Amino acid sequence: MPSHFPQLGAALHDYRARHPGDGELVAAFSAFLASHAAVFERGHLPGHFTGSAWLVSADGERVLLMHHRKLDRWLQPGGHADGDAELARVALREAQEETGVAGLRVEGGIFDLDRHRIPARGDEPEHWHYDVRYVLRAGADECFTINQESRALAWRPVVEVAKDESLDVSLRRMARKWLTRHP
């Protein structure tokens, strides 16, 4: 692994210790991290790291989802690292920009990992997103603001998200993971 990315390497190691069933996925993320110095740059053609937020209400019973304008589906807030190797900071920045929720705080280390293919669009070729997801908790003020990246935002009970077959499989996985940790 490049010496300039030790923080993410250590966080991946910690995640693997907490989630031994995700060993192959962690190995793929670690190999990608070691593959090139530009893995945090959007212009890295094979793919790049992204940071996302499992944004929960103060009581932990609801999650804030956004209906993504370009992808036309409900997802968690998140986005490109754009050169920032501190992916928890990326997740926080993106959640603040995409939801407007004030007083968010990151809790713990990596919550979830998801590697997914992004189809070609315009001049951008097909590539991989190596999405590193963190728990962000809202404070007392759960008011949100819709920005240009989303059609809607909604607080949804985590229990419902876990069961909703119309939602992305990774959202349902995170909901089940959250419910296991916080029944």
Side-chain angles (χ1 to χ4, degrees):
M1 164 183 5
S3 60
H4 50 289
F5 302 144
Q7 188 173 11
L8 182 55
L12 288 168
H13 180 77
D14 176 64
Y15 179 85
R16 184 179 198 159
R18 290 183 288 117
H19 301 280
D22 286 350
E24 286 184 34
L25 183 61
V26 173
F29 272 65
S30 296
F32 183 68
L33 179 64
S35 70
H36 197 278
V39 294
F40 294 94
E41 299 292 340
R42 194 183 302 219
H44 185 60
L45 292 179
H48 37 266
F49 281 101
T50 56
S52 291
W54 179 249
L55 201 167
V56 295
S57 57
D59 63 9
E61 293 184 16
R62 292 167 291 122
V63 62
L64 186 59
L65 301 180
M66 63 181 282
H67 191 258
H68 198 280
R69 185 172 300 280
K70 287 183 185 175
L71 299 175
D72 193 27
R73 57 187 184 155
W74 289 96
L75 297 171
Q76 75 284 350
H80 292 97
D82 291 329
D84 190 348
E86 175 49 58
L87 295 175
R89 182 173 49 221
V90 171
L92 179 60
R93 177 188 73 225
E94 292 291 328
Q96 290 169 329
E97 289 174 4
E98 294 175 351
T99 71
V101 176
L104 297 175
R105 65 183 189 280
V106 177
E107 289 187 357
I110 296 171
F111 174 64
D112 189 64
L113 297 172
D114 192 72
R115 180 178 177 252
H116 51 271
R117 217 29 148 164
I118 301 298
R121 188 171 54 229
D123 292 339
E124 189 174 272
E126 182 178 71
H127 60 280
W128 288 99
H129 274 186
Y130 289 79
D131 197 27
V132 181
R133 296 155 174 199
Y134 296 86
V135 172
L136 270 66
R137 191 175 297 261
D141 183 359
E142 296 177 357
C143 295
F144 55 77
T145 305
I146 298 170
N147 78 358
Q148 71 281 0
E149 292 186 46
S150 60
R151 294 181 180 182
L153 293 168
W155 285 104
R156 299 272 312 270
V158 177
V159 171
E160 289 179 13
V161 171
K163 298 175 189 174
D164 188 342
E165 295 289 324
S166 72
L167 294 175
D168 184 83
V169 67
S170 74
L171 281 179
R172 295 191 319 264
R173 180 185 65 238
M174 287 189 291
R176 288 189 304 272
K177 191 181 280 187
W178 180 255
L179 291 170
T180 302
R181 284 179 42 185
H182 303 89

